[in-house]
Amino acid sequence: MRSQYGISGFSAFVPPYRVQLERWCEWSGNSWPKTRAVVGNSFRVVGSNHNVYTMAANAVLKLIESHQVDPSTIGYLALGTESGTDNATSGAIIVRGLVNEVLRARSTSLLPRDMEVPEIKQACLGGIYGMKGALRYLHVDGKNRKAIVVAADIAEYARGSSGEPTQGAGAVAMLLEENPAILAIDLKRAGNATQYRALDFRKPFLRYCGQTPSGDQRVRDVPVFNGKYSTSCYSDETLGSLEAFFRKQDGGRAEYFRNLSAVFMHRPYRRMPVAAWSLAYLFALGMDGGKEHDELSRYAAAAGVDFQALVQEMTSDPRLLERALQGDLVEDPYPLATRTLKVFRESEECKNHIDARMTLGSVPLSEMGNLYTAALPAWLAAGLEEAANRNVDMGGREILLVAYGSGDASEALPGTVVPGWEAAAARSDLAGVLSGAVDLDREQYEALHDGREASGLQVSGPTGYVIDRVGKLDADPLQDFGI
């Protein structure tokens, strides 16, 4: 029997500070019904006592504890993030050190010295790239070893920007091994796509100019982005990875959508993946031809769209970068498909083939906000945990992971839920992770967002790893500035 490699466990950590989007709408003047429908219910805010490394270490330690992992068997520990604060050393080294301090204090076995510790950066795709690296490690030179990949990030945007309600912070750790307990991932059938987009989401180091750690002040990491253009990049690159994926598959594309058990995608906010996956289904109808054209033509006719022009548009190159550099920040690369999509979204087929495949785990995700690299792993963990708790029969069924990182790149990874998956999936405990939230008022939120100390905050219960201090010495004989 051929060995399988994949995921055997999840754990997560989010900071306790929460902004309820209904309250945020009250003080910002935004529409709560629209925000709830498009974005979600709330997001988490990191305080001065947490950063990407403490959150990652909390998730990794919990993973080791909840799944009773022998730390000495771990041969690969990867951190996927776009929120690191060191341009030289891998953040996985920091996570390894923090975890080993606790393990040593408990007199248990440690994470070993002979382990790989990469940090991987490609916007929101870093965690999935880390997972692919872990699977290759296990298959090639990691015999009898296990791997941990932790995706951790702080998603923050300037106050008053369109991205502000889509903020978030947290970490998700994944345990990977041969003969996995939850999900076997088939890299040979995976599809990927990459494209340079220039004016898409970026975090230039210039943004740090003028910011230095002072007292409890946290260096902020707000991005430069062009909202609707970035959304177009997300949709187009998702279609690109799915195109590469379908070239490796047998059978019809639309039929694959219908037979799929569930899909989990990169989720910056509630509506974005639903719109992209719905659009991908229409493209599948268009690419399949034959009887699938009958369904697509029905939607096109109802939308007043010429069918032949629609199919031609689906095979066109929208030239997003070229047009953007000429001043046209393309808001809609496929306008005819978008018009058709509005009709499709109201159809029974959409409810049955799209919405039904995207409901698992959606409620916890609407409470977390955008977790960047951890957004897809969090949705996957929440979805499988919910399925286990509801006794949804998924054993032996295929699910699809569709990842994305701005700039940009996308991955489509098929996985098969293995028999007996329920017990390991139920240990993710997303409900416990989200409990004990501390709701912020406007003044507290603005203080934490801007790197200032917020008054009146009280957190009950264990906090795990926290920042003791940030080094300020910048002269001989000892320098610890920024550590």
Side-chain angles (χ1 to χ4, degrees):
M1 180 179 176
R2 184 171 65 91
S3 293
Q4 296 180 310
Y5 301 88
I7 301 173
S8 287
F10 300 94
S11 68
F13 175 86
V14 295
Y17 308 120
R18 179 174 65 185
V19 172
Q20 296 278 14
L21 282 171
E22 183 173 11
R23 299 184 66 187
W24 176 84
C25 286
E26 292 173 358
W27 71 58
S28 66
N30 284 275
S31 165
W32 165 232
K34 180 179 179 180
T35 300
R36 179 176 53 192
V38 174
V39 180
N41 297 330
S42 65
F43 62 82
R44 295 300 175 110
V45 177
V46 71
S48 60
N49 58 340
H50 282 299
N51 63 10
V52 69
Y53 308 119
T54 63
M55 293 192 299
N58 281 314
V60 170
L61 184 62
K62 181 183 175 184
L63 183 74
I64 291 171
E65 294 170 340
S66 61
H67 292 272
Q68 299 180 328
V69 179
D70 179 355
S72 67
T73 65
I74 304 299
Y76 181 100
L77 172 64
L79 170 66
T81 188
E82 58 177 86
S83 306
T85 59
D86 192 310
N87 290 326
T89 303
S90 166
I93 285 282
I94 301 172
V95 174
R96 178 187 182 278
L98 292 174
V99 171
N100 269 351
E101 284 190 23
V102 169
L103 297 178
R104 186 176 292 109
R106 295 176 178 176
S107 299
T108 64
S109 59
L110 306 179
L111 293 171
R113 192 166 187 177
D114 64 331
M115 69 185 305
E116 298 180 27
V117 284
E119 177 182 324
I120 301 170
K121 178 177 70 176
Q122 172 39 48
C124 300
L125 195 55
I128 297 302
Y129 274 167
M131 184 185 75
K132 291 184 71 175
L135 294 172
R136 289 164 176 157
Y137 161 79
L138 293 169
H139 181 71
V140 176
D141 61 335
K143 188 173 180 59
N144 299 322
R145 304 293 291 271
K146 303 178 191 294
I148 292 178
V149 176
V150 57
D153 262 313
I154 300 167
E156 54 189 348
Y157 293 83
R159 288 196 284 116
S161 71
S162 61
E164 186 181 5
T166 71
Q167 296 177 110
V172 177
M174 298 175 282
L175 175 67
L176 297 107
E177 62 183 345
E178 186 177 2
N179 300 320
I182 299 177
L183 185 68
I185 295 177
D186 188 354
L187 290 185
K188 291 183 178 179
R189 292 173 51 214
N192 53 65
T194 60
Q195 192 76 272
Y196 176 53
R197 303 293 195 183
L199 301 179
D200 190 9
F201 179 104
R202 287 289 190 278
K203 291 182 181 176
F205 291 125
L206 182 64
R207 302 288 288 198
Y208 284 108
C209 289
Q211 294 190 67
T212 57
S214 175
D216 291 323
Q217 185 185 51
R218 179 176 58 82
V219 176
R220 292 180 296 125
D221 191 18
V222 295
V224 178
F225 68 103
N226 293 283
K228 292 185 177 180
Y229 174 71
S230 293
T231 301
S232 295
C233 292
Y234 174 97
S235 299
D236 187 55
E237 208 61 30
T238 296
L239 292 171
S241 67
L242 289 171
E243 171 63 27
F245 169 75
F246 281 122
R247 287 199 298 266
K248 297 182 178 181
Q249 314 308 311
D250 297 323
R253 303 181 183 205
E255 196 61 27
Y256 182 86
F257 276 76
R258 299 178 190 122
N259 292 332
L260 193 63
S261 180
V263 61
F264 301 97
M265 305 177 68
H266 173 53
R267 181 174 163 140
Y269 51 87
R270 174 181 280 165
R271 182 174 290 178
M272 196 167 183
V274 176
W277 188 243
S278 302
L279 185 66
Y281 178 76
L282 295 184
F283 270 63
L285 295 175
M287 297 300 105
D288 279 347
K291 65 181 181 65
E292 305 296 2
H293 272 189
D294 295 339
E295 181 179 343
L296 181 61
S297 63
R298 177 159 44 91
Y299 305 137
V305 170
D306 180 81
F307 178 74
Q308 294 303 325
L310 172 62
V311 174
Q312 184 176 5
E313 180 186 79
M314 289 177 171
T315 60
S316 67
D317 180 359
R319 300 182 294 111
L320 295 181
L321 174 59
E322 179 183 338
R323 292 165 62 184
L325 293 177
Q326 294 172 354
D328 175 16
L329 288 175
V330 184
E331 295 186 1
D332 190 348
Y334 302 104
L336 298 181
T338 298
R339 285 171 55 187
T340 307
L341 180 63
K342 293 178 181 178
V343 171
F344 172 63
R345 286 296 305 158
E346 299 299 320
S347 69
E348 286 300 315
E349 289 89 346
C350 186
K351 294 181 177 64
N352 294 330
H353 305 322
I354 302 300
D355 296 342
R357 306 301 195 270
M358 307 186 80
T359 57
L360 288 173
S362 61
V363 173
L365 264 292
S366 70
E367 303 293 343
M368 289 184 174
N370 188 3
L371 303 185
Y372 283 168
T373 56
L376 170 53
W379 193 359
L380 177 61
L384 293 176
E385 180 185 1
E386 179 183 342
N389 291 335
R390 287 174 44 199
N391 297 315
V392 178
D393 183 13
M394 296 184 70
R397 299 288 303 278
E398 180 157 303
I399 66 174
L400 189 67
L401 314 182
V402 183
Y404 175 78
S406 296
D408 50 57
S410 181
E411 296 276 337
L413 300 164
T416 301
V417 181
V418 304
W421 60 280
E422 296 90 344
R427 285 200 288 269
S428 301
D429 188 29
L430 267 296
V433 170
L434 292 171
S435 65
V438 176
D439 287 319
L440 303 177
D441 60 29
R442 181 174 186 173
E443 289 73 22
Q444 291 169 330
Y445 158 65
E446 291 181 352
L448 291 184
H449 180 282
D450 297 347
R452 296 180 279 110
E453 194 67 29
S455 61
L457 291 182
Q458 292 184 341
V459 180
S460 61
T463 55
Y465 293 99
V466 294
I467 298 171
D468 177 47
R469 67 183 183 90
V470 177
K472 301 177 185 177
L473 299 176
D474 195 18
D476 291 334
L478 172 65
Q479 297 190 40
D480 70 350
F481 184 80
I483 294 177

